[in-house]
């Protein structure tokens, strides 16, 4: 019997947003105003497609982007957390569900030798084309009104758990570690045994706090964290049970 650890990526595993970090590759490290203003709510992936096209047109190449991305710091305590998970690998399955993209996440995990720690990474597929430009596509289409149109993390999580169950893997509990508004939907799917772990001071924690004040039902327990070391402490309690 295993625990399933579900991680968001931006501002959870890494201590910044990979999509906004890449702007450091742009001329003068900023985007033209008209490009900045072209973002529409819920359509972030399309916006990033335009950002990548702009960077490509400006002559920013893959090796420069890769070098820039691997400078993003990890969130405090995350390296220690991953070392703890590695030592207790038989007790956990680990997945990432992220609204970043496959190229950025691959680069960062590979540079830190963390690739083998994650059973699956669910994110928007990205690739470099022969012209040197990076393109990104939506992860899937869904009908959830709460989530950005390219990704409902709840749908991804439910599908993954169902598939695992069909293959004889039934998780004793799910621990969901995240920070953002798009982590609210999967967290509300969690059940009585599960644990939602929102990062202190970020949107997910503020939203869950507001929901509890409004007496909106939440089945899972909520454990707020600032450092990956606090997550270790909680996981140690869970695996003793």
């Amino acid at each position: 019997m295993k625990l399933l650890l579900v991680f968001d990526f931006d501002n959870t595993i890494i201590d910044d947003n990979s999509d906004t970090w890449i702007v450091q590759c742009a001329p003068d490290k900023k985007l033209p105003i008209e490009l900045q203003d072209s973002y529409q709510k819920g359509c972030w992936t399309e916006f990033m497609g335009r950002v990548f096209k702009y960077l490509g047109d400006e002559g920013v190449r893959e090796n420069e982007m890769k070098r820039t991305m691997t400078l993003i710091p990890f969130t405090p305590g995350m390296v220690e957390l991953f070392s703890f998970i590695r030592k207790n690998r038989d007790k956990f399955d680990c997945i990432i569900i992220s609204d970043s993209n496959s190229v950025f996440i691959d680069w960062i995990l590979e540079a830190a030798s963390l690739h083998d720690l994650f059973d699956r990474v669910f994110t928007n597929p990205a690739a470099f084309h022969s012209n040197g430009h990076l393109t990104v596509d939506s992860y899937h289409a869904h009908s959830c009104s709460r989530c950005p149109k390219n990704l409902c993390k709840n749908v991804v999580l439910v599908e993954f758990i169902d598939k695992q169950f069909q293959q004889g893997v039934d998780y004793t509990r799910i621990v969901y570690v995240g920070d953002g508004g798009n982590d609210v939907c999967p967290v509300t799917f969690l059940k009585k045994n599960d644990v939602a772990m929102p990062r202190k001071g970020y949107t997910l924690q503020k939203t869950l706090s507001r929901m509890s004040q409004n007496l909106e039902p939440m089945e899972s327990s909520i454990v707020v964290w600032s450092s990956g070391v606090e997550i270790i402490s909680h996981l140690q309690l869970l695996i003793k049970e």
Side-chain angles (χ1 to χ4, degrees):
M1 299 298 271
K2 283 186 173 183
L3 272 72
L4 176 64
L5 304 181
V6 184
F7 287 90
D8 175 40
F9 191 73
D10 292 325
N11 290 311
T12 295
I13 290 177
I14 55 170
D15 202 13
D16 213 301
N17 181 323
S18 53
D19 280 343
T20 52
W21 184 274
I22 199 65
V23 175
Q24 292 181 43
C25 291
D28 301 326
K29 299 191 176 183
K30 55 179 193 275
L31 301 174
I33 293 295
E34 63 274 17
L35 178 51
Q36 289 178 39
D37 290 348
S38 72
Y39 169 66
Q40 293 172 313
K41 189 168 166 32
C43 302
W44 182 259
T45 309
E46 290 87 339
F47 170 69
M48 286 312 300
R50 295 190 291 278
V51 171
F52 296 149
K53 181 179 186 311
Y54 170 73
L55 293 175
D57 291 344
E58 289 295 323
V60 178
R61 289 295 168 256
E62 182 174 344
N63 56 355
E64 187 187 340
M65 291 173 83
K66 184 174 186 176
R67 195 170 58 246
T68 302
M69 293 314 291
T70 53
L71 296 173
I72 303 180
F74 282 89
T75 296
M78 276 294 151
V79 172
E80 292 86 337
L81 171 59
F82 292 138
S83 149
F84 168 79
I85 293 168
R86 197 181 288 288
K87 288 192 189 98
N88 295 276
R89 200 64 186 92
D90 56 323
K91 299 179 180 73
F92 304 112
D93 279 354
C94 296
I95 63 172
I96 291 172
I97 309 179
S98 165
D99 206 356
S100 179
N101 68 71
S102 56
V103 166
F104 287 178
I105 293 177
D106 278 349
W107 281 343
I108 292 165
L109 294 181
E110 263 171 28
S113 302
L114 289 172
H115 233 290
D116 61 319
L117 209 58
F118 295 96
D119 299 285
R120 290 290 304 276
V121 175
F122 300 96
T123 187
N124 303 299
F128 281 92
H129 287 258
S130 50
N131 61 5
H133 288 201
L134 180 62
T135 61
V136 62
D137 293 311
S138 294
Y139 176 73
H140 61 182
H142 62 84
S143 55
C144 173
S145 59
R146 289 202 288 192
C147 291
K149 65 179 197 169
N150 61 295
L151 175 66
C152 171
K153 295 185 175 190
N154 188 12
V155 168
V156 174
L157 181 56
V158 172
E159 283 177 356
F160 175 77
I161 289 165
D162 286 351
K163 272 209 180 90
Q164 291 292 88
F165 187 70
Q166 285 162 17
Q167 290 168 4
V169 181
D170 192 8
Y171 296 109
T172 48
R173 53 166 53 104
I174 299 162
V175 178
Y176 191 104
V177 184
D179 72 281
N182 61 0
D183 295 314
V184 175
C185 193
V187 160
T188 52
F189 155 77
L190 300 177
K191 300 291 181 275
K192 196 170 64 187
N193 240 1
D194 301 332
V195 186
M197 299 197 78
R199 188 176 181 186
K200 187 178 184 181
Y202 284 72
T203 307
L204 177 60
Q205 189 231 329
K206 290 172 183 171
T207 307
L208 294 179
S209 165
R210 201 166 54 240
M211 284 168 68
S212 77
Q213 283 161 8
N214 298 340
L215 304 178
E216 292 178 49
M218 271 283 296
E219 284 191 55
S220 71
S221 55
I222 296 172
V223 178
V224 179
W225 63 277
S226 302
S227 158
V229 177
E230 294 162 276
I231 301 174
I232 296 174
S233 300
H234 198 70
L235 292 180
Q236 283 171 325
L237 293 175
L238 294 180
I239 58 182
K240 279 197 188 107
E241 282 182 15

